[in-house]
Amino acid sequence: MADQPAPPVDDNPWDALRRFTNARIALGRAGSSLPTAPLLAFNLSHAQARDAVHQPLDTAVLHDALRAAGFETLDAASAAPDRDHYLRRPDLGRKLGDTSAASIAAHAGATSEPPEIVFVVADGLSAFAAARHAVPFLTTLRPKLDGWRIGPVVVARQARVALGDGIGELLRARIVVVLIGERPGLSSPDSLGIYLTYEPRTGRSDAERNCISNVRPEGLTYEAAAFKLHYLLNEARRLKLTGVGLKDESDALLATSANPDALEN
């Protein structure tokens, strides 16, 4: 009986661990290279990550979706005139363009009582994240904000996190919350980051913010992220600060709420 030919792919003994992670482990081997299927999957993920960085945010669709969900909206753009400048000049993405600054200031001037919270939905480095997750996250969060005075949702193009400081300052908000597309990874081209800053003003540093990362169905769910943000908002209002002085202890509360019997043990 003739010897059977060796299979073209050598399986990796860690293959069973792949069900626990999206990381590229236990891909197997074909000769001295990767098998075709994981190589093609890597190329696809790389293309999706590049698309996430360069794809423009469809602000008209996002405005319509936010308004349909019951949110008032404003439009804004940074000083970066296009995507190329945005990627090459991060400083331009941190400050408002003159037209947007004037428009937001005019809105603030027509408002008698300033908001406690202003949400900014920004394209950042992944317009996919803002387009896919901002509206469902905000609709998940809104029932938790009973009693809070919420300002308009500002949809921002070519934006970095610090753009929210200028927006919040012009709107005289107590807290600004920036929902922004994070730098895409090879398994997460649509990860949404959430940054909150107490008493926003131009010149705030990253040490004065709190961050909730990887908000998406495959990462931190909308419900879990809303729970954490609600906790941080309440603590920021109580302590009158955000950043390194505000510790996120919401995980312990979330575990308790999921298992009330733990209080008795």
Side-chain angles (χ1 to χ4, degrees), residues 59-110:
T59 56
V61 170
L62 187 52
H63 277 290
D64 288 345
L66 286 165
R67 290 168 183 163
F71 294 97
E72 179 188 2
T73 68
L74 294 175
D75 196 61
S78 75
D82 51 46
R83 200 66 179 168
D84 184 62
H85 282 83
Y86 170 78
L87 294 172
R88 296 175 184 271
R89 290 281 307 275
D91 58 308
L92 295 179
R94 299 186 182 111
K95 59 184 179 181
L96 279 166
D98 292 340
T99 300
S100 294
S103 176
I104 291 173
H107 177 89

Side-chain angles (χ1 to χ4, degrees), residues 3 8 12 38 66 68 79 110 145 148 150 157 174 184 189 193 218 222 236 261:
D3 291 338
N12 190 291
L66 286 165
L145 298 180
W148 286 79
I150 303 173
R157 303 181 305 281
R174 182 182 297 187
E218 301 83 3
Y222 302 142
D261 293 340

Side-chain angles (χ1 to χ4, degrees), residues 158-234:
Q158 318 296 10
R160 303 279 176 172
V161 172
L163 190 73
D165 296 338
I167 292 171
E169 184 177 22
L170 286 173
L171 292 173
R172 298 172 291 154
R174 182 182 297 187
I175 300 173
V176 67
V177 178
V178 179
L179 314 180
I180 190 167
E182 297 181 313
R183 186 183 304 276
L186 290 177
S187 62
S188 55
D190 62 342
S191 179
L192 186 74
I194 303 173
Y195 294 81
L196 65 154
T197 308
Y198 187 82
E199 291 189 346
R201 62 176 181 268
T202 301
R204 285 290 197 192
S205 71
D206 288 341
E208 297 172 289
R209 316 184 201 285
N210 290 83
C211 175
I212 301 170
S213 187
N214 195 30
V215 179
R216 58 193 184 102
E218 301 83 3
L220 188 67
T221 65
Y222 302 142
E223 292 78 10
F227 185 93
K228 292 174 76 69
L229 180 57
H230 181 238
Y231 170 86
L232 289 170
L233 287 170
N234 284 331

